């Protein structure tokens, strides 16, 4: 929503919109066959959710651990 309003979110933890969820899943499909060992995200929940949603489409069969 903030992107549509051309607002900078910075460290504000804005949740993913329905479109953001769809885009994360589509991104996961596009990288589904790339070898992955580590995914780095920021501490923001929207960043971590994006990574988790994308990895649901990945064929690595690995578990996400956030530290």
């Amino acid at each position: 929503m903030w992107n549509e309003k051309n607002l900078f979110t910075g460290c504000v933890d804005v949740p993913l919109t329905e479109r953001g969820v769809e885009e994360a899943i589509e991104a996961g499909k596009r990288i589904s066959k790339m070898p992955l060992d580590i995914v780095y995200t920021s501490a923001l929940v929207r960043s971590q959710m994006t990574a988790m949603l994308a990895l649901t489409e990945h064929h690595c069969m690995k578990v996400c651990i956030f530290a």
Side-chain angles (χ1 to χ4, degrees):
M1 293 186 302
W2 283 37
N3 284 345
E4 291 173 2
K5 294 178 182 179
N6 201 27
L7 297 172
F8 177 69
T9 57
C11 291
V12 177
D13 209 354
V14 180
L16 290 174
T17 61
E18 186 174 324
R19 179 178 172 192
V21 170
E22 292 168 1
E23 289 177 349
I25 292 169
E26 178 59 30
K29 290 176 182 176
R30 291 180 184 206
I31 65 165
S32 66
K33 302 214 189 282
M34 295 174 119
L36 286 177
D37 288 320
I38 298 173
V39 175
Y40 292 95
T41 70
S42 74
L44 298 175
V45 173
R46 70 173 182 267
S47 176
Q48 295 171 8
M49 286 298 299
T50 300
M52 288 190 336
L53 289 166
L55 290 175
T56 63
E57 299 298 322
H58 202 276
H59 299 307
C60 67
M61 303 299 290
K62 295 181 181 177
V63 176
C64 293
I65 298 173
F66 293 94

